[in-house]
Each structure stands twice: as C-alpha cells, then as structure tokens.
Amino acid sequence: MSILINNRTKVIVQGLTGSQGKFHAAKMKEYGTNIVAGVVPGKGGESVDGTPVFDTVEEAVRATGANASIIYVPPAYAADSIMEAVDANLDVCVCITEGIPVRDMLAVKRMIKTTGSRTMLIGPNCPGVITPGECKMGIMPGEIHTPGTVGIISKSGTLTYEAVKQVSAYGLGQSTCVGIGGDPVIGLKYIDLLEMFEYDAQTELVVLIGEIGGQAEVKAGEWIKNNFSKPVVSFIAGQTAPKGKRMGHAGAIISGGDDTAASKMKRLAECGVHVVELPSEIGKKVAEVLGKI
Amino acid sequence: MYLHEFQAKGLLREYGLPVPDGGVASTASDALRVAKELKGEKWVLKAQVHAGGRGKAGGVKIVQSFSDVYDESTHMLGMKLVTHQTGEDGKIVRRILIEKATNIKQEIYLSFMVDRDNEQHILIASAEGGTEIETLAESKPDAIIKEKLSAIKAMGAYQGRKIAKKLGLKGNLLNKFSAVVVKLHQVFMDYDCMLLEINPLVVNSDNEIVCLDAKITVDDNALFRHSKIEEMKDYGEMEPQEVRASIYDLSYVSMEGNIGCMVNGAGLAMATMDIIKSFGGQPANFLDVGGGADENKVREAFRIILTDPNVKVIFVNIFGGIVRCDLIAKGVLKAANEVPGDKHVVLRLDGTNVAEGKKIINEEAQTSGLNIYAADTMADAAQLAVKLANEPAPNAASAKKKGGSK
C-alpha cells in the first residue's frame, strides 16, 4: 500500500504543451507513471509524444477515465487550473507552479471547502508526490527513491531529496514522499497526510521536514501526540534565519516569536517527535528509531 | 514587498480614507516648502524607511516653526536610523514625510493580515494604540481583539461596529469607525496585501477617525497584476546584492558570516546555513539559485556572493532534481575563474547526473589549479568549508594545487 497515488493512478498533465510540462511528462512516463492525457485550452486534438491533448479537464476525464492531474501552468493562471481539477472531482491534484498569489489560493481553498469536491490538492510550489516503484507525479529525481516503509512529508523540494538519499543509504525505502510546498496557503497539510500514513499499513515511520514561518509544524506536533501511533523523525530548516526576511519560500518568514525553528523544534520534541538538529542526521535517526543500527 | 508610509497613505487617500494632509521631501528646503504649503503651526516629520520603531529612534519629530522644520529635516535627512528592526547598521533616511499634526483624543491599533492557518483574513484591533502589537501580545494579550474576515468578499459593516463597540467607541463613532475599517479591508483585498497595519488609528479632537500611520506589505507573487505598486519599489532600501539577485531571479538574503552559500531550493539553502553554524562557522548569505539554474545563473550567483568582502569560502550545495549536476559543474568552473586566489570553493553535488558533474570538476580542477574542493555529503562539505574559513588565507603558491579531495 501507499498513500495518495499508486500504479492504478491515471494522470492528466495540465499545461502539457509548455516546456516544463513536456519535459516532466516525459520524465514521469519514463518512471512508469500512467500519463493518459494533457489539458491545454485551445489545443484540444493535438498530441504530445503520443499523449492526447484536450481543451478541458472534464473532456479528458470523460475520454480517459483519469483520476488525477498535475499542473505546470504559469502562476497567473494556475489557480484557475486547480479549480478546474477540483470541479472535475479528481481524486488528486498536484500543483507544481511557483508564485501563485495568496489571494488566489485562498479562493481555491474556499472552493474546495464549499463545493464538497473530493479533490485532494498537493502544493502549490512543491516537488510533487512519489510512490516509489509505482507512480511519480512531480519533478523529483525518480532514481534516488526505493520502495519501502518510510513516509516523508516536507515543505521543501531539494531537502526532501536529501532525506530520501540518506534514508536509502541505510537500506530503507519509502512508502510515499509528499512535498506539500512552501507557500503560506497550500492544499493538504501535515496533519491530513499524517492521518493517511496512520492508516497505511506499509508505512512504519514518518519523516516530517518543516521550516520557519507559520504554525503548521506545531499543530502537527500536537496532533501526533494525541493521534499518531508511529514514530516521527523531524528536521526544521532555518535555525539561522534572520527575523522578517523571506527565505526563498513565500511562507518562510519569521513574523512572530513562536514560528522560529528553535521554537518549533522544542514544541515537536515535547510532543514525542524525534527532532534532529542537523539535516545530515535525518537518515541516521530514522535507522536508529527503526532499530536498523 | 514593503511600501513606504507615504506610498501606503497615497493608496488609502485614493479610497477616500482619512489620512493627514502631507507631502514627501528629500531635501530640507523641499521639506520647508511642503510645510509652508500645508500651512498651520504644528507639523510632524517622519523618516521614510522600511522599519518599525522609528519614533523611539528619533525618526519622528514634532516641530512648531518653519525654522524647526528646516533644522530638523536637515538633521534627519541622511542620518542613520537604528531601530530594533533595522539591525546595528541602521537605515539611511533619504526621504521624510511632512504632515500637519493631529490633535489626538484616542489611539487605536488596527491591522489586517492573512491568517494562513485558518485560510482567511483576520482583523486585529486594540484600544492600546501606539504600542507595537508584539509587545502588546506579551504584556496584555487580553487587550487584543480579533475578528475573522472572509478572504473573498468585503467585510460587513456590522463587523466593524462589533469591533468599535469592543474598543469602547460610542455614538456616531461606531459608524464612522466601521466605514473606515470596511474601506481598509477593501484596500487589503484589492492590492493583494499580506499586511495592512494602522498604528495608530486615532480619534481626533473633532471626533473624526484618522489613519495616522500606515504600513503595507504586498504579496510579491501578486505584483504581476499591480504594476502601479511594483513601480513604488524602493531599491535604496535593499542591500545592493539583494537588488542584483532580484534582477537575475535569485533569492538572496545577506548575513554576517564569511561562508558564502549557493544552494538549489529554499529548504536546502536554509539547512545549509544551519549545518554551517552547527559546525562552528558563520554563513554569509542565503542564496537559492532555484530550479532553473543554468551556467549564467550560477556565474551571477558567484558574482553576487563575491561582492561581499567578508566571504572566504563559497559553499556550493546542489541536489539535482530538475537541475543537472553536469551543467552546474560547468557553471561553477566558469565562475571559479573569477574567484580570487585567496578564496576557496567547496562543492557538493548530488542527484541528477552527479557522476558526470563530479568528473568535470575533478578533471578540470586538476588542470586549471582552481581552489575547488569536492565533498560527497552535505556534512563533509560543511565541515570542510568551516575549516577553510577559519584558516588564514592561502598564499598564491599553495593555492595552485587543489583538486577533488574524494
């Protein structure tokens, strides 16, 4: 088992004809992802490397039975593309696009809440989701992943790769790795995914990678303490970040006192999470907790 | 993006919101002219810098004669304003706002923010105006009033009255306050604000509401639809390296150490700074070259890092996903030609095409005699970078030999 996506997931690429869409669609296919359609308004009827392109998500779903989509659409139009996926009631929508205005994302979240759509949104501004050996919906390097029992949830892309690599070095694979994105307003959050990992028999341990800004990690810690039965290893990036400066990610900014890395690490540790101080210790700690070393 | 107070007040004025009459000046004679045009007998001079706490630092002065306007403006313009938000270096005052003084009867704190956890807007108010909200949150948390607002439609006038009542306002001030607050929320929505703070919002001696101060932060991601706001960007408030980085779409934040960092991905970039610090080193900057890093971006990133004279070591930490390590390696080699002999480059590559990337570095570094050290893991690389940063600068002769260490 795994969470969110598996070898039965049928994927639409929204923005397939763009350079990013084309490049990553090819990489995903290469990994074994079942890409069934592209959606690009005005380009219905065309095809990209044998994948048929439709004008709307609705049509693509009707023609192919797709149940998920991945979005490579420029920031000004990306929120609308997410709404289209939500409207089509897809199971999963992964939005890779970076730079979507917060106001647009607030409207998207409002729509998801009020329409009762079942769509689970991942991102935006994220590397995507991968269930190793089965399905890759994202931009991560597929080859560093191996199937296994460690679930990973992270706000960061490359830092997730780092964690995957370290975990793999100890001979441990991953059940599903989810990049939730570094924006202030995102789709699924830590708790939503922890809940799925709790019920996923394959997952034995979860790595939670966070960063400065917001309260999401602290809330996750509280939830873990009361509801999560599996061990959690965590690293929080930004221990050296100055206050009030945006550190790359739109959401990574220390604005109050309790959204610092130190404060989050303390709160998580109090909730029984295995917090590591160095990013290079993630793999070792996971192996230790699972009794592999 | 931060707006200056005078820019923020300009937006409020367009919405018919009550702000004091005033004008901006960058010379003392300009300031005098503004004061004379405003007429009256009492003015406030306010330093226009992107930092809070100006009052205590001498950045806000009340003056009562034209000669004082001139003298105080002369003093304030060009001064380094050091507040608790500027750091030790302070900020140079290049412009001042001259306003007619307001007779204050009551001060109120008011702000609108995006509540990221609840995914809506939030209005925060307090009868203890003039105090910073952070201070208030610690000393008198009960004095803070919060009201949840929709993020997609205008707030209701009733919500404004509800808050007015809690603030202790009475009579026709209830409706006056509410009208102002509803308009402020409109500004907040229309301009994709992340923060709109009026501290203080005052009731003056004529029983009218006035926005005495205004602080606005606009969502950088939304600037594409607000060209008017983008034109207001004050590059003078940014570090020179940050300005350069913004041109090349690199994300850069300057720090005070001597190990320059070039990393792909914001999370990994922060983690790189953290690991440097934990090994006893000090990062000189945060720099995310982003997902689309190519040779040119790498080169420009090196140039930006090298403009900081404190940098002794450049730590390149790349985990290739979309970015290919071989391309990064080529970019680093090109850029390294411009690195002075007394500085080192520590390179850690992993991910897509790592083998090709390492091969390029090892071969080239041997022949070109550049100060490039390669390390396999982030921890090894960080330890090496810290060690090199703490060494005395190498002389030209010993700088010629290094190749890949692993």
Side-chain angles (χ1 to χ4, degrees):
Chain A
M1 256 169 65
S2 57
I3 65 165
L4 292 166
I5 58 174
N6 54 37
N7 53 17
R8 294 183 306 280
T9 306
K10 288 180 166 183
V11 181
I12 294 171
V13 178
Q14 292 178 255
L16 178 63
T17 53
S19 63
Q20 291 278 314
K22 220 181 259 178
F23 177 80
H24 289 292
K27 289 266 174 199
M28 287 187 282
K29 265 190 190 171
E30 205 179 294
Y31 192 79
T33 304
N34 189 12
I35 307 275
V36 297
V39 169
V40 182
K43 299 208 171 164
E46 296 181 13
S47 79
V48 175
D49 297 333
T51 305
V53 177
F54 298 86
D55 284 319
T56 64
V57 171
E58 190 182 31
E59 279 178 302
V61 169
R62 205 184 305 133
T64 65
N67 66 336
S69 86
I70 183 160
I71 297 177
Y72 299 94
V73 171
Y77 315 102
D80 185 63
S81 295
I82 300 174
M83 288 178 168
E84 191 178 356
V86 171
D87 178 63
N89 219 5
L90 297 176
D91 292 329
V92 175
C93 172
V94 175
C95 184
I96 303 297
T97 309
E98 177 178 2
I100 303 179
V102 167
R103 187 175 75 181
D104 296 3
M105 281 311 300
L106 288 168
V108 166
K109 291 304 293 279
R110 185 87 199 134
M111 177 187 177
I112 295 175
K113 277 177 201 158
T114 52
T115 57
S117 164
R118 67 162 165 259
T119 306
M120 293 182 286
L121 173 67
I122 308 292
N125 189 14
C126 77
V129 185
I130 184 168
T131 294
E134 297 195 33
C135 183
K136 165 177 136 163
M137 284 181 73
I139 57 176
M140 63 289 278
E143 66 278 6
I144 60 170
H145 301 81
T146 46
T149 61
V150 178
I152 299 183
I153 315 171
S154 170
K155 278 184 180 176
S156 152
T158 45
L159 193 51
T160 314
Y161 312 161
E162 181 71 42
V164 167
K165 172 108 188 195
Q166 288 178 29
V167 167
S168 296
Y170 283 94
L172 293 159
Q174 305 85 41
S175 51
T176 301
C177 306
V178 188
I180 60 174
D183 276 1
V185 178
I186 54 171
L188 297 191
K189 303 180 192 179
Y190 291 117
I191 296 173
D192 304 311
L193 294 155
L194 284 164
E195 207 163 4
M196 293 181 205
F197 277 130
E198 173 71 17
Y199 294 108
D200 176 40
Q202 186 185 333
T203 304
E204 288 178 17
L205 176 150
V206 170
V207 175
L208 187 154
I209 299 173
E211 62 189 28
I212 54 166
Q215 293 298 311
E217 292 85 352
V218 173
K219 284 191 172 179
E222 293 292 329
W223 192 87
I224 289 166
K225 190 171 89 182
N226 298 319
N227 306 283
F228 201 60
S229 66
K230 304 174 185 184
V232 178
V233 171
S234 179
F235 171 75
I236 306 292
Q239 294 164 47
T240 42
K243 195 181 163 187
K245 290 271 187 180
R246 167 171 151 169
M247 306 301 276
H249 284 156
I253 181 164
I254 298 173
S255 36
D258 53 358
D259 56 350
T260 61
S263 151
K264 290 186 181 186
M265 288 161 74
K266 184 167 165 273
R267 298 280 293 274
L268 282 168
E270 284 165 6
C271 294
V273 172
H274 304 275
V275 179
V276 294
E277 291 195 0
L278 293 182
S280 53
E281 287 170 354
I282 299 169
K284 192 172 153 215
K285 180 57 86 180
V286 168
E288 229 173 76
V289 173
L290 288 177
K292 304 289 179 188
I293 49 171
Chain B
M1 179 188 147
Y2 297 108
L3 297 191
H4 280 299
E5 178 190 0
F6 75 91
Q7 295 167 330
K9 282 180 170 168
L11 291 184
L12 302 191
R13 208 172 269 130
E14 282 174 25
Y15 280 72
L17 280 154
V19 291
D21 291 335
V24 189
S26 50
T27 64
S29 44
D30 255 359
L32 184 61
R33 179 184 52 78
V34 172
K36 285 192 166 171
E37 278 170 16
L38 287 173
K39 302 197 176 71
E41 49 209 24
K42 202 172 170 189
W43 305 268
V44 187
L45 308 179
K46 302 179 90 176
Q48 297 298 289
V49 293
H50 289 166
R54 293 172 301 173
K56 278 183 198 144
V60 180
K61 294 274 184 219
I62 295 171
V63 287
Q64 307 204 38
S65 71
F66 288 132
S67 67
D68 281 353
V69 169
Y70 189 82
D71 291 346
E72 284 294 345
S73 306
T74 308
H75 175 70
M76 206 184 274
L77 283 162
M79 80 184 265
K80 250 187 194 171
L81 199 66
V82 181
T83 83
H84 66 284
Q85 286 186 7
T86 60
E88 287 169 21
D89 291 347
K91 291 217 155 149
I92 293 180
V93 180
R94 294 189 174 86
R95 273 180 290 204
I96 48 176
L97 173 65
I98 302 100
E99 286 182 338
K100 248 184 176 167
T102 306
N103 289 313
I104 301 168
K105 236 172 78 179
Q106 188 179 349
E107 291 186 271
I108 292 162
Y109 173 92
L110 196 71
S111 71
F112 297 82
M113 277 184 251
V114 172
D115 177 354
R116 44 200 276 191
D117 293 318
N118 295 307
E119 293 164 351
Q120 55 196 359
H121 293 161
I122 186 162
L123 194 167
I124 296 171
S126 171
E128 312 265 334
T131 323
E132 281 195 31
I133 195 69
E134 289 88 352
T135 318
L136 208 56
E138 274 173 29
S139 62
K140 282 191 183 172
D142 293 345
I144 295 175
I145 300 158
K146 291 181 181 173
E147 178 75 12
K148 291 174 180 177
L149 307 177
S150 163
I152 52 172
K153 62 177 178 46
M155 66 179 279
Y158 73 91
Q159 290 179 293
R161 292 195 300 273
K162 202 163 95 182
I163 295 156
K165 195 75 193 167
K166 286 182 188 167
L167 288 168
L169 297 176
K170 292 188 179 77
N172 60 4
L173 272 176
L174 288 175
N175 281 328
K176 281 181 184 170
F177 175 87
S178 179
V180 165
V181 171
V182 168
K183 272 188 195 164
L184 285 170
H185 184 235
Q186 197 62 47
V187 174
F188 187 82
M189 287 199 297
D190 289 352
Y191 284 99
D192 281 279
C193 298
M194 296 298 283
L195 171 74
L196 192 167
E197 184 181 66
I198 309 292
N199 187 24
L201 180 93
V202 304
V203 180
N204 69 13
S205 48
D206 297 331
N207 237 21
E208 296 294 336
I209 307 273
V210 182
C211 302
L212 214 53
D213 195 4
K215 190 182 198 176
I216 288 181
T217 312
V218 176
D219 182 359
D220 290 312
N221 288 347
L223 290 177
F224 69 83
R225 57 187 174 212
H226 301 294
S227 53
K228 186 171 97 183
I229 302 287
E230 202 164 14
E231 282 162 19
M232 292 180 187
K233 192 169 222 166
D234 183 357
Y235 290 99
E237 287 283 323
M238 295 162 73
E239 300 273 340
Q241 291 103 324
E242 292 179 18
V243 176
R244 244 191 119 133
S246 75
I247 297 169
Y248 288 89
D249 211 16
L250 301 165
S251 184
Y252 176 95
V253 177
S254 134
M255 305 277 292
E256 283 168 359
N258 59 5
I259 302 178
C261 305
M262 191 191 96
V263 189
N264 69 326
L268 191 62
M270 278 189 269
T272 303
M273 290 163 52
D274 295 345
I275 200 166
I276 288 171
K277 190 129 186 191
S278 74
F279 286 131
Q282 295 291 339
N285 64 278
F286 166 95
L287 194 156
D288 174 10
V289 283
D294 54 19
E295 279 185 35
N296 283 335
K297 268 198 172 180
V298 169
R299 198 172 186 173
E300 199 48 47
F302 261 71
R303 286 184 183 156
I304 290 165
I305 292 170
L306 285 169
T307 54
D308 178 349
N310 296 327
V311 168
K312 286 178 75 180
V313 178
I314 300 180
F315 180 1
V316 180
N317 189 11
I318 301 289
F319 206 122
I322 328 167
V323 174
R324 285 162 47 190
C325 289
D326 51 333
L327 289 184
I328 295 284
K330 282 183 190 159
V332 167
L333 283 178
K334 275 202 182 152
N337 283 320
E338 297 171 20
V339 177
D342 61 339
K343 305 192 197 276
H344 305 283
V345 177
V346 175
L347 181 62
R348 182 275 175 134
L349 294 174
D350 213 331
T352 308
N353 291 3
V354 60
E356 292 91 327
K358 280 189 178 169
K359 197 164 158 248
I360 290 167
I361 291 293
N362 284 334
E363 282 172 4
E364 273 294 320
Q366 301 288 357
T367 53
S368 64
L370 294 165
N371 278 354
I372 299 183
Y373 299 76
D376 280 341
T377 68
M378 192 167 165
D380 288 351
Q383 267 170 320
L384 183 58
V386 171
K387 190 173 148 256
L388 291 169
N390 292 334
E391 270 176 8
N395 58 40
S398 70
K400 284 287 166 200
K401 61 175 182 13
K402 321 294 180 348
S405 66
K406 291 214 165 181

